[in-house]
Amino acid sequence: TGTLPEDAALSVVELVPGEPRAEHLLFSTMCTGGIPRAYVTDPYGAVRWYQGTGVSGGLTGIDDSADGVVILAGRRWVRELRWDGGIGEDAERDLASDVFVHHAVDVEGDRIAVLDTRAREYPDGQTYLDDGVAEVRDGEITNVFRLGDHLDPQGRTAYPPAYWWGTFPDAIDAFHVNAVDLLPEGGFLLSIKHY
C-alpha cells in the first residue's frame, strides 16, 4: 500500500498471545469526522490494502470478490472496491424507496446477493416486515425473492432487540432473516433468526 496517511493508520492490540489463526483480516472502519474505509491486514495487523468506501453510513455487510471486496452501506449502497483502487459493481437504492438493504451480502462468482426488507400490511390488519433477497444486476438492486410470499407472518410476534424500530416503528419483525448464502447451482440458503 505504500506509506499510510496518518488518518488511515491503525493500532493493533494483541489480546490473546500466540500465533494467529487467520491469514488475513478484512474489516471496515468509520471514525467521527474520518473517511470510511475498508482494510485488509496480515494476521499481525499490518495493512496490505485499504480504500475509502465513498459512501456514508456504517458498513453492515462485507464479502470478498474475485477482484476486491463488496460492501453494503447505509442500508442502500452495494459497492465493489477493487484491489487496484477502482470501483467495480456499484448500485444504490433510491432514498425514496420503501425497501432497504441490510446486514448481509454474499458473492458467488459474478453474482452478488443482499438481504432487503420492507413493511407490508396483511389481512389481519397488522404490518409485518417482509424480508427478501435482492441481486445486484447491471448497477441495479433487484429483488428476486420475498419471504412473505412463502411464509405467513400473521399472528407471530416480534422479538427483541428491535433492529428495525427506528425505520419501521409499527412493523412486526416476525422472522428476521440474518444471512444469505448463494449456492453454486443458482439458488440460495437463508438463515432466519426467529424461525
Side-chain angles (χ1 to χ4, degrees), residues 55-61 72-78 91-95 97-103 114-117 141 162-168 176:
V55 297
S56 61
L59 270 60
T60 55
L72 186 63
R75 294 189 175 170
R76 64 182 234 242
W77 283 289
V78 180
E92 177 183 355
R93 276 265 163 86
D94 189 309
L95 276 173
S97 174
D98 62 349
V99 181
F100 293 85
V101 295
H102 65 97
H103 62 257
V114 297
L115 296 178
D116 68 8
T117 198
I141 302 171
Y163 177 84
W164 287 108
W165 185 82
T167 307
F168 302 109
H176 199 89

Side-chain angles (χ1 to χ4, degrees), residues 26-49:
L26 168 62
F27 59 94
S28 66
T29 61
M30 187 172 141
C31 301
T32 303
I35 299 170
R37 291 188 173 99
Y39 290 85
V40 173
T41 68
D42 70 12
Y44 301 98
V47 176
R48 298 300 180 207
W49 170 88

Side-chain angles (χ1 to χ4, degrees), residues 63-143:
D63 196 15
D64 63 321
S65 69
D67 298 316
V69 299
V70 175
I71 60 170
L72 186 63
R75 294 189 175 170
R76 64 182 234 242
W77 283 289
V78 180
R79 178 170 287 171
E80 182 180 23
L81 307 174
R82 295 204 167 159
W83 302 130
D84 64 8
I87 302 291
E89 192 66 62
D90 195 19
E92 177 183 355
R93 276 265 163 86
D94 189 309
L95 276 173
S97 174
D98 62 349
V99 181
F100 293 85
V101 295
H102 65 97
H103 62 257
V105 59
D106 190 46
V107 180
E108 178 69 37
D110 61 352
R111 294 174 64 204
I112 299 172
V114 297
L115 296 178
D116 68 8
T117 198
R118 66 178 181 175
R120 180 176 173 183
E121 191 171 327
Y122 278 79
D124 67 357
Q126 297 290 325
T127 301
Y128 296 87
L129 290 181
D130 187 15
D131 291 333
V133 176
E135 290 196 21
V136 178
R137 298 177 178 166
D138 301 320
E140 298 288 329
I141 302 171
T142 305
N143 183 269

